[in-house]
Amino acid sequence: MSNSRALSAPLALLLLHSLLFLVSAQRSTWNTLGGGAPLVVARGGFSGILPDSSGAAYNLAVISTGPDVYIWCDVQLTKDGVGICQPDINLANSTYIATIYPNKTTSYSVNGVPTSGYFPLDYTLKDLSSVILTQGVYSRSTLFDGNNFGILTVDDLVKLDKKPKGIWLNIQHDAFYAQHNLSMRSFVLSVSRSVVFSYISSPEVGFLRSIASRFNPKTTKLVFRFMRQSDVDPSTNQTYGSLLKNLTFIKTFASGILVPKGYIWPVDATLYLQSHTSLVSDAHKAGLEVFASDFVNDVPSSFNYSYDPLAEYLQFVDNGDFSVDGVLSDFPITPFEAIGCFAHLGTNATKKDKTLVISKYGASGDYPACTDLAYNKAISDGVDVLDCPVQMSKDGTPFCLNSIDLIESTTVAQSSFSKFAMTIPEIKSGSGIFAFNLTWNDIKILTPSILNPFAKYRLFRNPRSKNAGTLLALSDFLSLTKNQTSLSGVAIIVENAAYLADKQGLSVIDAVIGALSKAGYDKPGSQKVYIQSTNSSVLLKFKEKTSYELVYKIDETVGDAANAAVEDIKSFASSVVVNKDSVIPNNNLFLTAYTNIVPKLKNANLSVFVETFSNEFVSQAWDFFSDPTVEINSYIEGAQIDGIITDFPKTADRYRRNKCLGLGDNKPTYMEPVQPGGLFGLITKEFLPPAEAPLPPLTESEVAESPLPPVAKIAPASSPNARTKFPQGNSQPKVTVCFFLSTLAVFIASLLLL
């Protein structure tokens, strides 16, 4: 027995050390103050979608993210001293109060700033009982304003249908209310007798110091909120910049600080990231937690994030140097994804999803389309299939460019080649400078221009590199891809073949076949060759001459396909490209329902690739919460598509490696695919947009085409001349060419590139 006891002590000690090591390893995963995962605070609930501080917004935050979310309430006081949750001291910014009390604005000095509006302190809670909340950010949908969401009191938060992990009160204007004989301190101390608050924050030192002794930091943590560094705390008359230099003083009354994210990762005047500051490490050394604010998915922050909000969160929680202890967000689903599924993946995380990632002109969201930079970026970002839309030069050189019109992605209109401007209405509307009018030597020295598909929303892509890179001949493209072991294939896109053959005497099909053969792609290898076209006649010609994988692109938005059309496609293609709206249509950017197009095609053993997935929030339906990862997840998990065509392949490839894939019933709430019609169903009848007609099906007549015309023998001419007409739609386009040398047209084209 003595030997047994003698052995048990070292064994117990060993087990204790092992346990402590495991706990330490677990804690050290995060560079937060306490070693745990950062928390997520939903500002006013899910205020990026529903009216701020409404019961529906608070409930949606919990429904969409799970029970670990904290909800934020900006406390305002009514005339009778009741605390209400409203994001602004001026109720006109978040409610329809002006319709209930027209022409009743008042003016007050708020922290020394004269302010006019509707102030809570002028109304009793009963006066506000009929006031309806509105979406206060005008760029967001107002269709939920008809739901008659009323103002909530702080006490109402504990009565919500969906229970959060905790409640965070923010006391923004204690000094202002004190000037009008309303005590925020008395209210907070009174309500805390019946409601437990996890956090209480304020930008006023005086308020936090006045309540510090009344709260146990193990139950309720006090947080000092920093405003702009030049702003002044009314309780101390010190700027927040000066208070930032005295964190040890802040520690005497607070457990943490809440700062605008620019305090940590500042951006320069051109919206590019600068080096991070030492604030987080300095605060942690002082024993203070650091919470970052101002996170919104629908306001661009820095071009470094390529319009990907998840990438921004990762910059704050998983940068290798530090992690903030929490984030305050209008879109809480995105930080939950970042923290729960994407942090600490490392550079060699295993792919857990087999969905193909196919580039759209390379990584054209970051660099000019089809340039060496765009292609190399796509490869480094994890793309599976690199694409080359083939255009033909005047001297018959095939090269990669997104459009036959050089104006769309080069500065050709500002060059001496502007004299080649002409119109071919059925190829494109307006004038263009077409590739077949310039030699390859002329084209390869053109300055590329980055695509800005959302410029009308003032969303521009990577301005620093807007003219960077060089264009590639198809042979150069294939030389680049051939030895890239990370690539599973190349996609060669062929359009306008009939026109080029009949009117320009150029055979793009023969040029492509020759280039592929010369590069060795006609021999068995690890990379597939996908030939894509909207024209069945083109794919039939490739089928006749090669054994490459053929991909048919449906260029209409369709909700189904006739059986005969599907059988016709199967006769020459193994995959189909459709647009996003063909899979999940929307009404006023609210998803309505899944269509039958994906099941119909997949049941016929056709792979379905979907385009175009972009990071910019304006490219996504409201249901995706301005988050490209939510959109990708919903199409892959919900619609079961086989491939994603994207101009930001990094976002799609990162999705395939996230830790939350393959968890089955243990998958977190925030990684569930969205349900089409979910948000649309919340809109009241009076605010519903008009119903839209069902999407038409693809018919057999839209697939079938006449054979391609032979390659014409055309003598060299100073300008093309074409009159022949071809079938419309997915068929060969009608082409009517007229030479167009209007100075005005060239001038307009030049303006588009500015």
Side-chain angles (χ1 to χ4, degrees):
M1 290 180 65
S2 60
N3 288 339
S4 175
R5 288 173 180 168
L7 288 173
S8 65
L11 180 61
L13 188 60
L14 178 62
L15 289 173
L16 178 61
H17 280 298
S18 298
L19 180 61
L20 290 173
F21 175 79
L22 289 172
V23 171
S24 176
Q26 180 68 25
R27 288 169 58 85
S28 64
T29 300
W30 295 99
N31 291 323
T32 53
L33 180 63
L39 58 85
V40 176
V41 186
R43 194 191 66 81
F46 212 131
S47 55
I49 296 295
L50 296 169
D52 195 311
S53 304
S54 64
Y58 286 126
N59 283 327
L60 180 60
V62 180
I63 291 169
S64 61
T65 65
D68 290 332
V69 67
Y70 292 80
I71 57 173
W72 165 285
C73 166
D74 276 297
V75 183
Q76 313 296 340
L77 290 179
T78 63
K79 188 175 185 178
D80 47 348
V82 178
I84 60 173
C85 297
Q86 275 298 283
D88 199 293
I89 199 168
N90 182 0
L91 295 177
N93 291 334
S94 55
T95 75
Y96 283 116
I97 191 170
T99 63
I100 306 297
Y101 301 105
N103 304 314
K104 296 291 185 180
T105 58
T106 53
S107 296
Y108 292 101
S109 175
V110 181
N111 292 348
V113 179
T115 307
S116 295
Y118 288 84
F119 293 83
L121 57 77
D122 291 325
Y123 302 89
T124 65
L125 182 63
K126 183 178 180 181
D127 294 335
L128 297 176
S129 62
S130 58
V131 174
I132 304 303
L133 303 182
T134 182
Q135 176 55 262
V137 179
Y138 296 130
S139 61
R140 298 170 182 172
S141 176
T142 59
L143 292 184
F144 298 114
D145 289 2
N147 290 72
N148 295 330
F149 297 130
I151 293 174
L152 297 184
T153 67
V154 173
D155 285 308
D156 289 333
L157 296 180
V158 298
K159 305 172 187 175
L160 293 169
D161 295 335
K162 304 298 180 181
K163 306 302 180 185
K165 186 168 186 178
I167 299 171
W168 184 313
L169 295 187
N170 181 58
I171 311 301
Q172 193 70 17
H173 296 291
D174 172 63
F176 169 78
Y177 284 108
Q179 291 170 4
H180 300 280
N181 299 316
L182 289 169
S183 173
M184 193 66 80
R185 179 181 184 275
S186 296
F187 166 75
V188 169
L189 294 179
S190 175
V191 74
S192 64
R193 296 190 185 103
S194 57
V195 181
V196 175
F197 302 107
S198 301
Y199 294 87
I200 299 175
S201 61
S202 177
E204 299 181 16
V205 169
F207 172 75
L208 291 177
R209 295 185 75 182
S210 74
I211 65 170
S213 63
R214 304 295 294 271
F215 287 94
N216 182 346
K218 293 182 179 179
T219 304
T220 302
K221 294 183 178 182
L222 303 187
V223 177
F224 182 64
R225 184 180 191 183
F226 282 84
M227 307 306 289
R228 291 179 300 182
Q229 294 202 32
S230 58
D231 288 349
V232 175
D233 166 22
S235 69
T236 63
N237 288 323
Q238 293 187 56
T239 65
Y240 291 101
S242 63
L243 288 168
L244 188 65
K245 300 174 182 177
N246 198 354
L247 294 177
T248 54
F249 168 65
I250 304 298
K251 177 60 179 172
T252 63
F253 59 85
S255 300
I257 57 175
L258 172 66
V259 298
K261 60 188 180 184
Y263 272 53
I264 300 169
W265 281 101
V267 297
D268 62 22
T270 60
L271 293 184
Y272 285 91
L273 281 179
Q274 298 178 299
S275 299
H276 66 75
T277 68
S278 63
L279 173 60
V280 176
S281 59
D282 292 343
H284 283 174
K285 288 176 183 176
L288 290 165
E289 291 183 300
V290 181
F291 304 95
S293 66
D294 299 348
F295 287 95
V296 288
N297 290 4
D298 54 359
V299 177
S301 175
S302 168
F303 291 115
N304 297 77
Y305 303 129
S306 297
Y307 293 97
D308 178 7
L310 197 151
E312 181 178 23
Y313 286 108
L314 290 174
Q315 188 83 352
F316 282 80
V317 302
D318 183 25
N319 57 54
D321 294 326
F322 63 83
S323 172
V324 296
D325 300 277
V327 293
L328 177 64
S329 174
D330 289 19
F331 295 84
I333 193 170
T334 307
F336 268 105
E337 293 170 340
I339 294 164
C341 303
F342 291 89
H344 310 132
L345 285 182
T347 56
N348 297 311
T350 304
K351 291 181 187 177
K352 298 182 179 181
D353 183 89
K354 296 181 180 180
T355 306
L356 283 178
V357 175
I358 306 164
S359 68
K360 184 79 168 182
Y361 320 139
S364 58
D366 292 307
Y367 292 104
C370 301
T371 58
D372 56 336
L373 294 178
Y375 285 134
N376 281 301
K377 180 71 161 59
I379 293 169
S380 66
D381 285 348
V383 75
D384 295 312
V385 180
L386 202 63
D387 73 309
C388 170
V390 177
Q391 313 302 335
M392 295 292 287
S393 67
K394 184 176 182 179
D395 52 347
T397 300
F399 66 98
C400 303
L401 197 62
N402 62 293
S403 174
I404 195 171
D405 178 12
L406 300 173
I407 289 178
E408 292 188 18
S409 51
T410 75
T411 60
V412 67
Q414 298 165 308
S415 73
S416 60
F417 300 117
S418 61
K419 63 185 178 181
F420 288 106
M422 63 191 316
T423 58
I424 308 177
E426 284 73 28
I427 285 185
K428 66 163 293 182
S429 60
S431 66
I433 300 174
F434 296 97
F436 50 76
N437 280 333
L438 278 69
T439 67
W440 172 237
N441 282 337
D442 295 330
I443 293 169
K444 68 182 181 181
I445 62 173
L446 293 175
T447 300
S449 182
I450 201 166
L451 297 174
N452 283 303
F454 308 108
K456 69 178 181 179
Y457 301 104
R458 307 294 297 169
L459 299 178
F460 300 98
R461 293 174 168 178
N462 195 9
R464 280 186 180 172
S465 300
K466 66 180 182 179
N467 299 120
T470 56
L471 301 179
L472 300 181
L474 177 57
S475 58
D476 297 326
F477 170 83
L478 296 174
S479 295
L480 170 67
T481 60
K482 186 64 176 174
N483 296 317
Q484 297 291 336
T485 57
S486 63
L487 292 177
S488 64
V490 294
I492 307 300
I493 302 169
V494 177
E495 301 295 345
N496 303 305
Y499 171 73
L500 290 170
D502 191 50
K503 299 305 169 187
Q504 298 299 323
L506 296 170
S507 175
V508 62
I509 292 176
D510 288 344
V512 166
I513 292 174
L516 287 168
S517 177
K518 187 174 181 180
Y521 276 96
D522 58 340
K523 301 176 179 64
S526 59
Q527 293 180 2
K528 287 185 178 180
V529 174
Y530 298 87
I531 305 293
Q532 176 185 312
S533 182
T534 58
N535 301 124
S536 60
S537 56
V538 169
L539 298 180
L540 284 166
K541 182 61 70 173
F542 273 101
K543 183 179 180 181
E544 175 188 321
K545 295 187 172 187
T546 72
S547 58
Y548 300 133
E549 296 270 340
L550 303 181
V551 182
Y552 181 63
K553 178 178 176 179
I554 302 173
D555 59 359
E556 298 94 353
T557 300
V558 296
D560 204 340
N563 291 334
V566 175
E567 288 302 314
D568 199 357
I569 294 172
K570 279 186 65 177
S571 70
F572 59 81
S574 58
S575 304
V576 177
V577 173
V578 297
N579 62 39
K580 293 189 299 186
D581 288 345
S582 291
V583 180
I584 318 177
N586 67 78
N587 187 340
N588 273 44
L589 290 179
F590 286 95
L591 301 180
T592 52
Y594 288 111
T595 68
N596 194 44
I597 190 66
V598 174
K600 175 65 73 70
L601 295 171
K602 293 191 71 166
N603 286 339
N605 293 319
L606 290 165
S607 297
V608 181
F609 306 148
V610 180
E611 68 174 15
T612 302
F613 288 83
S614 299
N615 284 356
E616 289 93 343
F617 65 92
V618 294
S619 70
Q620 302 145 18
W622 298 112
D623 305 67
F624 299 128
F625 307 131
S626 301
D627 182 342
T629 299
V630 173
E631 181 180 46
I632 290 168
N633 182 57
S634 297
Y635 275 87
I636 291 178
E637 293 284 309
Q640 298 291 303
I641 65 174
D642 301 296
I644 280 180
I645 301 174
T646 175
D647 36 16
F648 293 94
K650 184 175 184 177
T651 307
D653 179 63
R654 183 189 59 203
Y655 167 81
R656 299 183 301 179
R657 303 171 189 271
N658 84 79
K659 295 179 290 188
C660 297
L661 291 173
L663 296 181
D665 294 339
N666 295 320
K667 177 170 41 180
T669 303
Y670 46 84
M671 289 303 290
E672 293 286 349
V674 303
Q675 296 301 312
L679 286 183
F680 193 74
L682 296 179
I683 303 172
T684 57
K685 183 178 179 180
E686 295 77 14
F687 278 67
L688 274 174
E692 296 186 346
L695 294 176
L698 181 70
T699 63
E700 183 182 15
S701 63
E702 292 173 299
V703 178
E705 292 180 350
S706 301
L708 287 172
V711 178
K713 295 181 179 180
I714 298 177
S718 59
S719 65
N721 180 23
R723 301 293 175 194
T724 304
K725 296 183 179 180
F726 298 97
Q728 289 252 15
N730 250 74
S731 311
Q732 300 291 353
K734 295 179 181 178
V735 180
T736 305
V737 182
C738 60
F739 203 66
F740 191 82
L741 294 177
S742 166
T743 303
L744 178 61
V746 175
F747 175 69
I748 293 174
S750 301
L751 286 180
L752 291 173
L753 295 169
L754 293 179

